[in-house]
Amino acid sequence: MKVTAKKNEQVANMIFASIYPHYLTRLEKNGRTKEELNQVIEWLTGFNQDKLQSLIDEKVTYRTFFEEATMHPNAHMIKGVVCGYRIEEIEDEFELYKQCRQMEKLIDELAKGRKMEKILRTA
């Protein structure tokens, strides 16, 4: 599927704090923990526990969330399909959408029981 400007804008305006509990619930159902979720998010974005919590408390949008992030240099290694979108084929003009899908791919892998050292890509 192709990302559209409308879809990109919809995702950009979603509140991260409203989605985070869904990520957590999904992972806990699969035997994973909040700490593991936060570890994955920290690896991707550079946000430590306190910064992540403050972004949740401030109810920031995904736009603000990813604007404040320092994306991991190996984020480009996150590949595959999430919600029908092949991550590596998402155009550069939709960088925010791509970053959101990269995070969701890591969370999917965590939920499916993949080992943390595989999820946190190394060169």
Side-chain angles (χ1 to χ4, degrees):
M1 292 195 313
K2 297 282 274 178
V3 180
T4 63
K6 180 181 178 188
K7 189 70 174 167
N8 190 64
E9 199 57 27
Q10 284 176 326
V11 170
N13 293 321
M14 288 172 37
I15 305 297
F16 177 74
S18 67
I19 306 300
Y20 181 86
H22 297 290
Y23 292 153
L24 185 56
T25 300
R26 177 172 182 226
L27 291 173
E28 288 176 339
K29 281 183 192 173
N30 288 289
R32 301 312 281 254
T33 65
K34 180 178 182 177
E35 290 72 26
E36 289 173 308
L37 171 60
N38 292 348
Q39 180 182 357
V40 165
I41 294 172
E42 181 175 353
W43 177 87
L44 182 65
T45 63
F47 297 142
N48 65 24
Q49 187 71 39
D50 293 337
K51 178 63 175 176
L52 181 60
Q53 191 58 53
S54 80
L55 291 169
I56 291 169
D57 294 343
E58 292 168 28
K59 295 185 172 29
V60 300
T61 62
Y62 271 99
R63 175 177 284 118
T64 302
F65 183 85
F66 284 110
E67 282 174 353
E68 292 189 22
T70 304
M71 297 299 283
H72 194 281
N74 288 345
H76 71 278
M77 295 171 73
I78 303 167
K79 298 180 182 190
V81 178
V82 178
C83 300
Y85 294 92
R86 180 158 289 286
I87 294 169
E88 57 272 27
E89 293 175 2
I90 298 173
E91 298 89 352
D92 291 343
E93 66 183 292
F94 303 121
E95 186 64 23
L96 182 137
Y97 194 84
K98 185 178 207 169
Q99 292 168 334
C100 184
R101 293 297 178 208
Q102 287 171 326
M103 183 167 66
E104 289 175 356
K105 179 69 174 171
L106 298 178
I107 293 167
D108 280 355
E109 291 175 356
L110 191 60
K112 290 175 181 171
R114 196 164 193 212
K115 288 183 168 37
M116 190 63 79
E117 43 289 354
K118 296 234 187 236
I119 296 169
L120 308 181
R121 274 96 171 144
T122 54

